[in-house]
Amino acid sequence: MADVLVVGELKNGELKKISKELTSAARKIADAIGGKVHTLIITDNVDAFAGDLKAVGADAVIGANLGDFSPEGYANGIFAVIQEKKPAVVLMPHSAQGKEYSARVAIKANAGIVADAVALSVDGGKVVAKKPIYSGKAYANFKVSSDIQMFTVRANSQEVTPKDGAGAVEKSGASAGEVRTKSLSKDLSGGNKVQLADASIIVSGGRGIKGPENWPIIQDLADTLGAALGASRATVDAGWISHSHQVGQTGKTVSPNCYIACGISGAIQHLAGMGSSKYIVAINKDGDAPIFKVATYGVVADLFEVVPALTSEFKKVLG
Amino acid sequence: MKIVVLVKQVPDTETNIKVGDKSINEAGVKWIISPYDEFAIEEGIRIREKSGGEVIAVSLGPDRVVEALRTAYAMGVDRAVHVKVDDYVTFDSTYTSELLANFIKAENADVVIGGRQSIDTDSSQVVVQIAERLNVPHVAMALKLEFDGNKVTATREIEGGTEVVETSAPLAVTAQKGLNEPRYPSLKGIMSAKKKPVDVKKPDELGATGSKLEVVSLEPPPPRIAGRKLEAADAQGFASQLVKALREEAKVI
């Protein structure tokens, strides 16, 4: 059998959208190579998620209780499930956590891995993974030649397609095992209400917002849309906002469905981080700004007038 | 402390990339040290300055990566090692991590530091894979590192904030922006770096089992959906057009 194993993720006890995206992608691969889709969720309450994952093609939904996140513990537990299920293909999220455990899992399983894939297809029974390289200035297609083919996949890159899987629920006895890094404390106060990495809408501010006192104009629009708040490097370097908001080469790489750039000129390092967004809106007074070269919709106007008008217009239509 | 810093040479972001069949055309490409690796070099030097020991810079790639090692020398590392492979090998994180881990194992290093990702492939795999191969703990996205003998306390970036963790050396670390401010090489450093030896290692000597990735093809990026500038008399006009476009045309909100 050529089964596909998906590692899903939860956030605050809820299923992240990437879990469905990967299950849906796995269904297409499994149908092409003739196998089942197993989706692993790290939880002691797997029953709560079985229905949602079955509806996008999971034949089996596996729960493993590995405790609080640690890259080593998750890698140990995920590898135990791999040994049991012997999948031909493993899909993991290219999330903050996924980047860490996937690296360890690949070595444990003696598998080749393609990280940050944005498209998956099947050719001659093998998965072909496409990923942007050189800051999105080229795309590379890879096949993995080891027995197990592993991939981490970028959030928002895969369609979620309804398709019924068998949806059997299993509880795995896999454990976290030995973990050599101990968490002493966490500080989540400076962070975003919505995470940039998997946000489907991002509203970002650049130097054009003129000063930190003007973030509320951008934040209001983000809140209205349920979007994450992003920032350009210039605003972070000026100390107007914390680095955790930075989008771009030395910040986060994002691929939302919609990226609204307010007062951002569009330096190449910024475009490297957001250039794969599906739709880009640019609001900037300078009509020659490079951001307009990638913008789906360009608004050459003063953001201090347009952004509040946009917020109130969205409030009207979104109720 | 014996500290190994991993240095990858990548095309400068501003460089124009011409895509060939399975590799890029290197003519006219300006090469730099991947920015996150500069934080790694700086941190390696700072650990040595506090705790003593030795910093070894390692770079994997074709002959041109020696330039990156010269820069590392100019910043203050003690030794430089060039693992000589063709550039396409650096696409394959498991092969890369195997070569580097075998070298580090032989050196018996206490700390391995690399950037949180390289800006050419953005895979975030190699350093943590090395940790797994060496059977040591790791700290990813480090913002602060403190050593007390073998005990290590680190602050690292996590989704939505920061986390303080405790672990012990030997370990691997990935450097995030904020860990330090990389120093500029001094003129004296640059001059003396030219004369320093660079040790060359070939894959056979490092006993790696080989690549697990096949490069099928490279291609230029997909063309973007043709953009358009909206026309309106005032802010309200722009707002209503945008809302309409995003809801009815793009259907993303």
Side-chain angles (χ1 to χ4, degrees):
Chain A
M1 284 300 275
D3 288 356
V4 183
L5 176 72
V6 168
V7 179
E9 271 187 17
L10 302 178
K11 172 92 188 186
N12 300 328
E14 287 184 20
L15 202 59
K16 274 177 139 183
K17 186 163 158 267
I18 183 89
S19 309
K20 289 194 212 173
E21 292 168 6
L22 294 192
T23 303
S24 226
R27 180 76 264 162
K28 285 176 204 136
I29 294 168
D31 287 348
I33 63 177
K36 285 185 182 161
V37 174
H38 308 267
T39 298
L40 167 66
I41 300 290
I42 298 172
T43 176
D44 57 0
N45 181 26
V46 62
D47 299 291
F49 311 105
D52 278 352
L53 292 165
K54 177 190 175 180
V56 292
D59 294 311
V61 182
I62 309 162
N65 186 8
L66 305 175
D68 286 341
F69 173 71
S70 76
E72 279 187 87
Y74 271 36
N76 291 337
I78 293 164
F79 180 56
V81 174
I82 289 172
Q83 283 178 302
E84 195 190 318
K85 298 292 172 191
K86 301 190 166 49
V89 177
V90 179
L91 305 184
M92 293 169 274
H94 196 67
S95 58
Q97 295 185 352
K99 286 174 198 176
E100 282 193 69
Y101 59 70
S102 63
R104 286 189 178 268
V105 170
I107 299 308
K108 286 179 194 291
N110 197 22
I113 184 165
V114 180
D116 199 23
V118 297
L120 300 164
S121 56
V122 174
D123 173 46
K126 285 273 192 181
V127 175
V128 181
K130 187 191 292 274
K131 67 170 276 174
I133 54 174
Y134 304 119
S135 314
K137 284 183 271 192
Y139 277 62
N141 295 298
F142 295 109
K143 277 185 186 174
V144 176
S145 53
S146 52
D147 291 343
I148 304 182
Q149 306 157 63
M150 290 197 180
F151 306 90
T152 72
V153 182
R154 194 181 283 192
N156 295 320
S157 69
Q158 307 298 308
E159 298 285 337
V160 175
T161 318
K163 181 157 189 189
D164 260 1
V169 176
E170 296 172 29
K171 282 169 193 165
S172 164
S175 75
E178 191 201 359
V179 174
R180 295 163 292 188
T181 301
K182 194 168 113 195
S183 178
L184 300 181
S185 63
K186 284 181 187 166
D187 177 2
L188 302 175
S189 60
N192 230 322
K193 288 178 214 168
V194 182
Q195 291 309 318
L196 277 171
D198 37 45
S200 62
I201 307 173
I202 294 171
V203 182
S204 264
R207 218 194 307 252
I209 70 159
K210 293 197 173 129
E213 67 281 4
N214 293 322
W215 279 117
I217 297 171
I218 311 295
Q219 182 79 61
D220 278 354
L221 177 58
D223 289 347
T224 304
L225 300 175
L229 180 68
S232 73
R233 177 178 171 164
T235 64
V236 173
D237 286 356
W240 297 354
I241 195 165
S242 82
H243 175 250
S244 65
H245 292 269
Q246 188 180 323
V247 171
Q249 190 135 71
T250 47
K252 295 198 169 56
T253 303
V254 296
S255 287
N257 287 326
C258 181
Y259 189 89
I260 304 180
C262 309
I264 291 179
S265 66
I268 196 153
Q269 290 82 358
H270 193 77
L271 303 183
M274 48 64 82
S276 65
S277 305
K278 280 199 191 82
Y279 290 87
I280 296 169
V281 176
I283 302 168
N284 199 312
K285 271 204 298 203
D286 174 10
D288 295 326
I291 190 84
F292 287 115
K293 289 198 185 119
V294 301
T296 329
Y297 304 112
V299 172
V300 183
D302 186 351
L303 76 92
F304 292 100
E305 291 173 16
V306 174
V307 175
L310 197 54
T311 305
S312 75
E313 191 70 16
F314 270 122
K315 274 187 181 149
K316 267 189 244 160
V317 298
L318 299 172
Chain B
M1 289 265 188
K2 193 184 255 192
I3 305 140
V4 171
V5 294
L6 306 176
V7 181
K8 189 172 185 186
Q9 197 186 40
V10 298
D12 185 288
T13 314
E14 312 268 354
T15 284
N16 214 357
I17 297 287
K18 289 187 207 82
V19 176
D21 183 26
K22 292 192 179 180
S23 61
I24 57 164
N25 179 352
E26 294 199 2
V29 172
K30 187 188 165 205
W31 298 90
I32 58 167
I33 292 176
S34 186
Y36 297 106
D37 293 351
E38 293 186 358
F39 301 119
I41 300 170
E42 177 65 34
E43 197 65 16
I45 296 167
R46 288 190 190 193
I47 296 169
R48 183 200 59 202
E49 284 169 349
K50 264 195 185 162
S51 317
E54 182 187 28
V55 186
I56 308 165
V58 186
S59 191
L60 185 143
D63 287 333
R64 57 171 158 72
V65 308
V66 171
E67 294 161 34
L69 290 169
R70 297 261 174 238
T71 306
Y73 259 140
M75 286 172 77
V77 306
D78 303 290
R79 272 165 62 197
V81 176
H82 172 202
V83 180
K84 198 168 170 173
V85 295
D86 291 332
D87 196 48
Y88 73 87
V89 170
T90 67
F91 284 140
D92 185 349
S93 59
T94 60
Y95 189 26
T96 302
S97 72
E98 188 180 22
L99 290 165
L100 294 169
N102 287 354
F103 168 75
I104 295 160
K105 211 180 281 173
E107 287 285 343
N108 213 6
D110 301 290
V111 189
V112 182
I113 315 180
R116 72 155 217 229
Q117 66 192 70
S118 61
I119 64 158
D120 54 352
T121 56
D122 292 324
S123 292
S124 305
Q125 287 281 321
V126 168
V127 181
V128 182
Q129 286 188 7
I130 289 172
E132 180 65 30
R133 289 185 186 279
L134 299 175
N135 191 22
V136 301
H138 76 266
V139 174
M141 307 280 277
L143 297 167
K144 194 174 172 194
L145 271 184
E146 278 172 52
F147 287 82
D148 178 7
N150 278 343
K151 203 180 103 183
V152 179
T153 310
T155 304
R156 69 187 210 100
E157 186 177 314
I158 55 170
E159 245 175 64
T162 58
E163 180 183 28
V164 179
V165 296
E166 189 182 272
T167 187
S168 60
L171 86 163
V173 177
T174 81
Q176 166 66 323
K177 184 184 178 186
L179 179 62
N180 54 47
E181 269 309 318
R183 68 193 68 189
Y184 287 106
S186 65
L187 187 61
K188 190 172 156 240
I190 294 169
M191 294 314 287
S192 69
K194 288 181 183 168
K195 289 180 234 126
K196 291 194 171 158
V198 173
D199 191 10
V200 179
K201 299 271 181 200
K202 297 207 174 118
D204 318 352
E205 296 171 61
L206 294 170
T209 52
S211 177
K212 291 188 169 64
L213 227 55
E214 182 197 333
V215 183
V216 178
S217 60
L218 295 193
E219 55 189 70
R224 281 211 70 85
I225 315 156
R228 70 167 201 262
K229 283 189 182 154
L230 305 181
E231 299 289 342
D234 56 12
Q236 188 51 48
F238 280 124
S240 40
Q241 274 196 57
L242 260 183
V243 169
K244 200 165 173 235
L246 291 172
R247 286 174 60 81
E248 292 168 20
E249 206 173 271
K251 297 191 172 71
V252 284
I253 294 175

